[in-house]
Amino acid sequence: MRLKLYVTGVVQGVGFRPFVYRLATELGLKGYVLNSETGVVIEVEGEKERLEEFLKRLQSEKPPASQIFSIDKKFLEEVGYSGFEIRKSEKKGEVKVAVLPDLSTCKECLSELFDPENRRYRYPFINCTNCGPRFTIILSLPYDRPNTTMKDFEMCEKCREEYENPLDRRFHAQPNACPVCGPHVWLVNGEGETVAERDKALKVLVEWLKEGKILAVKGLGGFHLICDATNEEAVAELRRRKRRQEKPFAVMFKDLEQVREFAEVSPLEEIALTSVESPIVILKQKEGNNLAPSVSPDTKTVGAFLPYMPLHHIILRGFGKPIVATSCNVTDEPIMFKNSEVKNVLGNLVDGALLHNREIARRCDDSVVKVMGGRVVPFRRSRGYAPLPVLLPFKLKRPVLALGPHMKVTVALGKGNRVYISQHIGDIDNLKAEEFFKETVKDLLNLFEIEPEVVVSDYHLGYFTTKFGREVFGERLIQVYHHHAHTISVMAENEVPLDKKVIAFSFDGTGYGTDGKIWGSEVLIAGYTEFERALHLKYFPLPGGDRAVKEPYRVAVSLLKAVGEKPEDYLKVEPEKLSFVSQMVDKGINSPLTSSMGRLFDGVSALLGIRYTVNYHAQGAILLEEISSTSKETGSYPFKMESGEIDWRETLLAVLSDIKKGAPLSDVGMKFHNTVVKMVLESARILREKTGIDTVALSGGVFQNKILTEKCLRELPSKGFKVLVHQVVPPNDGGLSLGQAVYGGLI
Ligand code: ZN
Ligand code: ZN
Ligand code: FE
């Protein structure tokens, strides 16, 4: 395989390239290292394990004077380098990265933090040029202290000396501070009274955690809700108060060793956990661990992450046990980031709050990744990544702003060969989310001072983002189809050349199609600026539209009726409900047609009795995947390909017959997964024959399914296909703005 890395940070003129050369040569890897305008580009080829070792040692053994701010990593196909070389840079000049993401606490700061002799002992805001807040404190550019939320803190003499000394680790560290001159924390109770300040506050907070209290803690990009992750009563109470029934909570662990006590950690997962971006990594729980069952009531996974700011380190060391650390918000609203917002929820949502007076310039949620197919796939690209640009292999013709779709929204701003992607905004389903979206658009335009010539939205006229685009940008607005945008995203991050086309599988829950129907299993022959819809799942009615997304038994009813079966024979749902939904399908009342792969997964999940209704997005499909993953089944079900349609009716009949025979759910589930893989293989084969294209691109939320993605990554290459998957932006709608931006910049 080939590993391609874009490294930003202080990596030029500090012996970084010779270090890379030595490391690569020692590991027997081939490729090159090159200085670029944003840092260093590295390509190495060799065995997968060696590449992972390279990635790990690149970070742990880097030259002392160098600093890594981010590493964009992609595993790609080999191109066959003959040796390793330091290439001549195309351009000279200073490395310029306009706005950096927030960086997790570095080793040096961490050891000072717990050194009783150090003047910053247990100071929750310790930082240096290698670590600390960036994106979340910047008010405007250039990045200088007066343009950050640190502007009101005057540095003391000692801090100023460090700041002005070129030999000091804190030379020009804009958020530099100490207990004498910098921000501080305080703790308030449920009545809003301050009970302790500074270090005392941190000690009382730990006592409160031990008592099972639920607390808000102001962090880097917003507030977390925290409590003891091993205390079932506390976690269950948090669910009740947050009105979040089953969606797993993220858990912060003291250190890597502690994560290992609770979950399985592969080498690549370790790299992800300990990376400077410090995302939440979705791991498999170990049997018999003592996490409270309510942390993730319906799955055996855990979203694990490590402390990424000094404040977290102090809390986790003091408490000793893992804590639940989930975004502090009221149902579906954006994460809270102001002290005043949290005052409103004291005494009801939380028993107390740890506040501080370093203002957060903008909200930024934690990022989420999952390792699959030997790659780190982002599920949410936010804190630690935003607002770093995605680098394109070509230049856009014009500056462009992309507004995203409706769910998991990010916005993007493109110019030249860069696309800056915002932090995660989320689903735009309420006024506060709309405000956050509007603020983020404004913010991005201000920060990068790019005036877009075109603005891109989805085709769905019901989306707030589309309406906003029309109202605000009028004539400048152009639209791109949802599944084409997914495809462009995965093409762009995989550096597909401008003139090339791919066979794209764009599988997700919902997207507006050219025929006005709800698409979601689109097989496209696509380039960056045009596509042809070659194949899709046979349409089926979606009784109740969006209601069917929350109540997948409705999908099951629709599927059953399509094959002439009686819903009541398979679904243990109240007869009145079943006949009501049946009638909707029969009479075509509020039952739009869809070709959604996500819904097909939901429907099968319901038929297997896994979920009739869901209480978080894609829950039915996620649980179907988890149950199936225990099966070793290699068989699959039949399906037909006819006149541009993948007909799933034979698949369904075979599923039903297995259910009637009493086959284990896991086996039926795995056979269903295998069938979808077969659908991909067969579609790709047919289309290669027709077009000669042998590159397959996989995008859309359905490819967050690990079984499906890994099997496609194994089987397509064995049939001679090149496979492109996401490693830079999410396969889900969070990655859509990249595709929209590239489209608008090229059309
Ligand atoms: Zn540091
Ligand atoms: Zn100071
Ligand atoms: Fe989508």
Side-chain angles (χ1 to χ4, degrees):
M1 284 184 102
R2 171 170 53 119
L3 174 65
K4 181 159 190 174
L5 306 168
Y6 291 103
V7 187
T8 66
V10 180
V11 286
Q12 296 188 3
V14 289
F16 199 78
R17 285 177 304 165
F19 154 70
V20 170
Y21 180 85
R22 281 193 303 274
L23 185 59
T25 325
E26 186 193 320
L27 292 170
L29 301 172
K30 291 167 179 173
Y32 67 88
V33 56
L34 168 76
N35 277 350
S36 77
E37 48 186 326
T38 52
V40 162
V41 185
I42 304 169
E43 286 199 32
V44 277
E45 283 187 352
E47 303 261 315
K48 185 74 199 313
E49 294 76 43
R50 287 289 169 97
L51 296 179
E52 284 181 18
E53 193 183 340
F54 177 84
L55 188 53
K56 196 173 168 184
R57 288 176 59 186
L58 185 77
Q59 293 165 84
S60 59
E61 297 174 15
K62 65 181 190 320
S66 69
Q67 299 159 17
I68 294 179
F69 293 159
S70 70
I71 304 180
D72 239 6
K73 41 188 170 291
K74 311 191 247 203
F75 288 99
L76 304 167
E77 291 230 335
E78 267 193 35
V79 292
Y81 292 111
S82 53
F84 195 89
E85 57 172 348
I86 299 181
R87 283 198 189 161
K88 284 241 157 59
S89 328
E90 290 137 13
K91 274 178 194 159
K92 283 192 182 147
E94 213 188 324
V95 188
K96 278 266 181 270
V97 180
V99 189
L100 284 172
D102 301 303
L103 309 169
S104 57
T105 314
C106 75
K107 275 187 207 144
E108 286 85 357
C109 285
L110 196 56
S111 69
E112 289 177 356
L113 181 63
F114 293 109
D115 172 7
E117 303 299 312
N118 193 280
R119 68 190 187 94
R120 292 190 181 86
Y121 177 58
R122 288 176 59 87
Y123 180 56
F125 303 97
I126 185 170
N127 68 80
C128 71
T129 348
N130 300 346
C131 75
R134 299 288 186 274
F135 185 49
T136 54
I137 58 164
I138 293 174
L139 298 167
S140 61
L141 289 177
Y143 176 53
D144 282 324
R145 189 156 170 128
N147 295 335
T148 70
T149 59
M150 286 297 293
K151 64 181 187 311
D152 297 330
F153 297 96
E154 176 120 20
M155 271 183 266
C156 69
E157 213 173 298
K158 281 182 182 164
C159 285
R160 180 152 296 282
E161 269 170 30
E162 296 165 335
Y163 184 84
E164 287 170 355
N165 178 2
L167 299 176
D168 196 280
R169 205 172 86 242
R170 299 197 165 88
F171 177 58
H172 282 187
Q174 306 305 342
N176 190 26
C178 76
V180 176
C181 65
H184 70 278
V185 296
W186 65 94
L187 187 68
V188 298
N189 63 17
E191 281 77 48
E193 300 153 354
T194 303
V195 292
E197 284 188 80
R198 299 175 193 266
D199 204 45
K200 181 82 196 303
L202 296 165
K203 286 179 171 144
V204 178
L205 176 102
V206 166
E207 291 311 309
W208 284 5
L209 279 175
K210 287 181 188 160
E211 289 165 21
K213 287 194 164 134
I214 294 164
L215 305 161
V217 171
K218 189 176 185 179
L220 210 50
F223 280 84
H224 280 133
L225 288 171
I226 70 165
C227 71
D228 180 351
T230 63
N231 180 337
E232 174 57 21
E233 223 173 291
V235 183
E237 175 64 12
L238 173 58
R239 288 212 173 268
R240 199 184 61 74
R241 291 192 199 170
K242 213 189 166 190
R243 294 203 197 101
R244 180 153 137 173
Q245 290 169 287
E246 288 176 301
K247 190 176 180 192
F249 284 138
V251 178
M252 189 182 276
F253 294 85
K254 189 171 60 146
D255 49 31
L256 189 61
E257 284 60 50
Q258 193 176 50
V259 180
R260 288 191 199 282
E261 289 170 28
F262 290 83
E264 317 277 353
V265 184
S266 72
L268 206 49
E269 285 163 344
E270 179 185 329
I271 290 171
L273 279 168
T274 55
S275 66
V276 67
E277 295 91 356
S278 197
I280 295 167
V281 185
I282 302 175
L283 302 174
K284 201 170 157 215
Q285 288 190 33
K286 272 192 180 156
E287 293 287 337
N289 73 68
N290 68 337
L291 279 184
S294 286
V295 166
S296 71
D298 63 344
T299 83
K300 294 198 169 55
T301 58
V302 59
F305 61 149
L306 296 177
Y308 56 81
M309 64 181 291
L311 177 59
H312 300 150
H313 283 285
I314 297 170
I315 295 171
L316 269 292
R317 284 222 189 171
F319 185 54
K321 293 191 280 182
I323 57 171
V324 164
T326 182
S327 303
C328 179
N329 63 352
V330 179
T331 328
D332 299 332
E333 286 184 359
I335 185 170
M336 295 178 193
F337 73 127
K338 286 184 175 146
N339 290 354
S340 58
E341 289 175 308
V342 167
K343 284 193 178 128
N344 300 325
V345 297
L346 285 173
N348 46 70
L349 183 63
V350 294
D351 302 315
L354 188 79
L355 306 174
H356 62 68
N357 56 348
R358 189 175 75 193
E359 297 271 334
I360 297 173
R362 58 185 61 71
R363 297 177 172 94
C364 198
D365 277 278
D366 293 319
S367 297
V368 183
V369 305
K370 184 166 177 173
V371 171
M372 52 171 90
R375 290 143 173 97
V376 182
V377 180
F379 280 18
R380 183 199 286 164
R381 184 188 185 272
S382 200
R383 191 222 359 109
Y385 302 86
L388 280 178
V390 172
L391 300 175
L392 305 172
F394 45 76
K395 283 207 159 81
L396 300 174
K397 291 182 195 161
R398 57 187 69 83
V400 56
L401 170 69
L403 300 173
H406 182 71
M407 293 179 66
K408 299 183 162 58
V409 169
T410 58
V411 294
L413 190 59
K415 190 183 178 181
N417 68 338
R418 300 185 190 190
V419 180
Y420 300 94
I421 302 178
S422 76
Q423 70 272 44
H424 166 81
I425 300 168
D427 301 354
I428 309 196
D429 280 329
N430 53 63
L431 269 176
K432 285 204 173 152
E434 290 174 9
E435 283 305 316
F436 182 23
F437 167 79
K438 288 194 245 177
E439 280 164 24
T440 306
V441 169
K442 212 165 106 189
D443 188 28
L444 215 57
L445 293 173
N446 286 341
L447 266 186
F448 295 101
E449 292 180 345
I450 293 172
E451 185 57 35
E453 276 176 38
V454 286
V455 178
V456 189
S457 80
D458 198 274
Y459 261 100
H460 198 303
L461 296 178
Y463 287 178
F464 175 79
T465 53
T466 312
K467 286 187 259 185
F468 172 85
R470 289 193 156 193
E471 273 165 35
V472 177
F473 298 101
E475 293 281 283
R476 268 195 280 174
L477 188 81
I478 59 168
Q479 288 161 292
V480 58
Y481 283 99
H482 190 95
H483 297 91
H484 188 208
H486 271 308
T487 303
I488 300 169
S489 290
V490 70
M491 287 172 73
E493 68 166 73
N494 282 283
E495 306 183 5
V496 172
L498 274 179
D499 56 349
K500 267 199 83 173
K501 287 193 176 180
V502 301
I503 301 167
F505 293 84
S506 197
F507 287 180
D508 64 359
T510 300
Y512 191 83
T514 54
D515 56 2
K517 297 190 170 94
I518 304 172
W519 286 13
S521 60
E522 311 315 308
V523 190
L524 314 174
I525 301 296
Y528 283 107
T529 53
E530 71 283 294
F531 74 94
E532 177 203 328
R533 187 193 198 199
L535 293 160
H536 59 88
L537 281 180
K538 186 177 179 58
Y539 284 121
F540 53 92
L542 201 56
D546 283 343
R547 276 293 284 277
V549 179
K550 295 198 171 101
E551 300 173 0
Y553 80 85
R554 288 170 177 252
V555 181
V557 170
S558 173
L559 300 178
L560 285 165
K561 291 183 72 73
V563 294
E565 292 282 332
K566 291 201 189 92
E568 58 271 28
D569 291 348
Y570 295 92
L571 301 166
K572 292 188 198 75
V573 177
E574 293 94 312
E576 310 83 67
K577 283 189 179 170
L578 289 183
S579 77
F580 176 73
V581 175
S582 288
Q583 282 185 35
M584 288 180 82
V585 176
D586 289 339
K587 296 180 182 156
I589 302 164
N590 188 19
S591 295
L593 291 180
T594 186
S595 58
S596 168
M597 184 60 85
R599 294 295 88 75
L600 188 65
F601 270 85
D602 283 354
V604 171
S605 178
L607 284 172
L608 292 176
I610 296 169
R611 291 307 296 206
Y612 290 144
T613 62
V614 297
N615 51 48
Y616 63 87
H617 185 70
Q619 187 182 16
I622 289 168
L623 299 186
L624 175 61
E625 178 194 343
E626 181 160 305
I627 288 169
S628 306
S629 66
T630 59
S631 164
K632 299 258 180 299
E633 182 65 65
T634 55
S636 62
Y637 296 117
F639 59 92
K640 265 209 190 96
M641 308 271 273
E642 245 170 23
S643 50
E645 284 186 342
I646 305 167
D647 190 338
W648 44 266
R649 286 177 300 182
E650 284 185 11
T651 312
L652 198 79
L653 285 168
V655 167
L656 298 176
S657 135
D658 264 0
I659 292 175
K660 271 193 252 171
K661 277 187 228 153
L665 295 187
S666 58
D667 289 350
V668 180
M670 188 51 112
K671 276 167 91 175
F672 175 69
H673 277 83
N674 293 341
T675 310
V676 177
V677 175
K678 280 254 162 76
M679 289 174 177
V680 170
L681 286 168
E682 183 60 7
S683 305
R685 189 191 63 77
I686 292 173
L687 295 174
R688 177 170 60 185
E689 217 156 83
K690 210 171 125 185
T691 62
I693 300 169
D694 63 358
T695 302
V696 168
L698 309 177
S699 188
V702 170
F703 287 103
Q704 285 181 201
N705 183 309
K706 185 171 159 148
I707 300 175
L708 192 62
T709 302
E710 292 189 340
K711 290 201 172 193
C712 284
L713 274 169
R714 240 191 342 263
E715 302 202 11
L716 282 162
S718 75
K719 302 274 187 295
F721 290 99
K722 279 188 207 155
V723 191
L724 314 179
V725 296
H726 283 284
Q727 302 176 69
V728 178
V729 297
N732 63 49
D733 284 4
L736 208 82
S737 61
L738 171 63
Q740 291 180 333
V742 172
Y743 178 82
L746 291 179
I747 196 78

